[in-house]
Amino acid sequence: MKQSQRRSCLRWYMTTMRLEQRTSGLFKRTETLSLGSCHFRPRILIDVSKIDMTTNVLGFKISMPIMVAPTAMQKMAHPEGEYATARAASAAGTIMTLSSWATSSVEEVASTGPGIRFFQLYVYKNRKVVEQLVRRAEKAGFKAIALTVDTPRLGRRESDIKNRFTLPPNLTLKNFEGLDLGKMDEANDSGLASYVAGQIDRTLSWKDVQWLQTITSMPILVKGVLTGEDARIAIQAGAAGIIVSNHGARQLDYVPATISALEEVVKATQGRVPVFLDGGVRRGTDVFKALALGASGIFIGRPVVFSLAAEGEAGVRKVLQMLRDEFELTMALSGCRSLSEITRNHIITEWETPRHLPKL
């Protein structure tokens, strides 16, 4: 990408992000990380000439604790859609999570080349379809399942209702093509809401987390946890990890921002499984906040889709590099040379009691 194109991509991304935050109700819905919720306590006079951001996620080594969250229907943002995102994530040495509702199939994404990929799963009423899809993902080389558990019904997405949202006629949910499940019909309000009501299993429960373990050897991450109580149950049900997520603040108003729920979940797990944060990350400083509060890594969604719309694969590469550079700088200016050196003592939050200084 030329320098002028890079500047254009960055300017478009930042302008669109600010506009989207102002107009979509994100601040009311508390999806983003509040600017005043965390402040840094940087340490000084530490040799930070070498910074190591590498980490392991479920046994897979990646270049940084910044991963790509599942976002649906990416070909609505760019003609290459999930192909471009997969290539960009692979080039960055990190994990891409493919949505069940992708406009590219698991086989098509696998064909883009090597890379560590997870598969996000919605559980359909027809469990044979679920079994088939999970096995296809495993055969295609996907390494884990991110089971979304906060969508027994679709939240009231007023923009979708206003626009009578549906997929353009040239696109389908490719993973379900040929099963009479890939099309999304027009409706009086939201085509997506009608699709979810007709297909997604509202009876999903903790026993189904155990059921999934009988049909795949892939580890299962439970995505959509916001409380310590559910974190403990997830571990009892055999989850290999937990993703703290409020579904981009599009499911239920007045749930906490993910950063606010993170520490409660981390404490409840007592280190038995890794905990990841999904949603609200906009800068490398946000990545540092999440890790200081106990996250093993973070997933980004909107920044990927916006950059994909702006410049395709090059845009996604750019946003991943931007976050990486900002995170590295934050580590250096906080006196941290590796992820293990990022601790709770490096931040202070608006919700904690007055701090007592640790003994030297």
Side-chain angles (χ1 to χ4, degrees):
M1 188 191 297
K2 295 179 180 178
Q3 184 66 27
S4 60
Q5 291 176 312
R6 284 197 294 269
R7 285 197 298 268
S8 175
C9 174
L10 174 60
R11 186 164 52 249
W12 188 94
Y13 164 71
M14 295 303 293
T15 301
T16 304
M17 184 69 74
R18 285 194 291 268
L19 176 64
E20 188 263 353
Q21 288 175 340
R22 283 201 304 270
T23 59
S24 70
L26 283 186
F27 291 123
K28 181 190 76 172
R29 293 174 176 238
T30 61
E31 189 264 350
T32 55
L33 299 178
S34 169
L35 294 176
S37 64
C38 295
H39 296 282
F40 294 130
R41 300 182 69 250
R43 303 300 304 275
I44 58 173
L45 292 177
I46 296 172
D47 180 357
V48 291
S49 56
K50 294 181 180 179
I51 302 291
D52 182 10
M53 291 181 288
T54 60
T55 188
N56 279 277
V57 172
L58 301 182
F60 301 101
K61 186 175 182 179
I62 56 176
S63 66
M64 57 183 174
I66 303 167
M67 299 165 282
V68 176
T71 52
M73 310 168 198
Q74 291 185 13
K75 285 188 178 179
M76 290 187 70
H78 189 276
E80 291 195 343
E82 293 86 2
Y83 291 87
T85 302
R87 290 193 295 260
S90 180
T94 193
I95 293 167
M96 175 204 179
T97 312
L98 182 70
S99 170
S100 283
W101 294 339
T103 41
S104 306
S105 69
V106 290
E107 293 85 3
E108 289 171 333
V109 169
S111 74
T112 62
I116 305 168
R117 291 161 191 139
F118 293 172
F119 181 69
Q120 177 271 331
L121 180 67
Y122 287 112
V123 175
Y124 278 54
K125 294 176 181 178
N126 187 336
R127 294 304 179 90
K128 289 184 179 179
V129 168
V130 177
E131 290 184 38
Q132 182 186 45
L133 185 55
V134 167
R135 292 190 174 115
R136 282 172 55 197
E138 193 165 20
K139 184 178 179 181
F142 285 70
K143 303 302 184 185
I145 294 290
L147 174 66
T148 295
V149 295
D150 60 1
T151 318
R153 295 175 61 175
L154 200 68
R156 184 175 173 81
R157 303 181 183 181
E158 293 172 351
S159 294
D160 287 357
I161 295 170
K162 178 182 178 181
N163 297 322
R164 295 186 177 182
F165 174 82
T166 189
L167 271 172
N170 62 312
L171 296 177
T172 62
L173 303 181
K174 290 289 283 189
N175 286 313
F176 304 98
E177 202 172 54
L179 298 172
D180 295 324
L181 299 172
K183 278 290 185 182
M184 189 180 298
D185 297 327
E186 292 185 5
N188 290 330
D189 44 28
S190 164
L192 178 59
S194 296
Y195 183 85
V196 170
Q199 301 297 342
I200 299 304
D201 192 349
R202 296 184 184 182
T203 73
L204 189 70
S205 67
W206 289 110
K207 66 182 180 182
D208 294 306
V209 178
Q210 297 170 320
W211 168 72
L212 277 175
Q213 294 168 63
T214 69
I215 66 171
T216 182
S217 61
M218 289 186 287
I220 296 167
L221 302 172
V222 176
K223 180 179 180 290
V225 175
L226 289 173
T227 66
E229 297 95 318
D230 283 339
R232 286 188 286 268
I233 298 172
I235 293 171
Q236 292 168 3
I242 290 168
I243 302 177
V244 175
S245 174
N246 63 15
H247 213 114
R250 292 171 299 154
Q251 277 298 98
L252 179 64
D253 284 351
Y254 308 110
V255 293
T258 52
I259 195 72
S260 300
L262 175 62
E263 195 165 27
E264 175 186 332
V265 173
V266 168
K267 288 180 178 178
T269 64
Q270 298 180 326
R272 289 174 287 178
V273 298
V275 176
F276 305 96
L277 179 136
D278 168 65
V281 171
R282 299 293 181 263
R283 305 298 297 262
T285 47
D286 297 332
V287 181
F288 188 94
K289 296 173 193 176
L291 268 63
L293 288 168
S296 295
I298 64 93
F299 289 89
I300 54 170
R302 282 184 175 95
V304 168
V305 175
F306 292 163
S307 58
L308 176 68
E311 291 287 348
E313 179 184 341
V316 180
R317 287 188 183 221
K318 179 63 177 178
V319 81
L320 289 170
Q321 187 63 48
M322 286 167 56
L323 287 169
R324 178 188 176 89
D325 291 345
E326 291 173 1
F327 178 53
E328 182 180 28
L329 180 60
T330 305
M331 287 182 64
L333 295 179
S334 298
C336 299
R337 296 159 295 190
S338 66
L339 303 189
S340 63
E341 292 185 351
I342 302 173
T343 70
R344 186 64 172 79
N345 286 324
H346 284 97
I347 62 169
I348 186 167
T349 64
E350 62 183 12
W351 58 81
E352 67 183 286
T353 55
R355 174 179 295 275
H356 298 286
L357 292 178
K359 294 180 180 181
L360 297 176

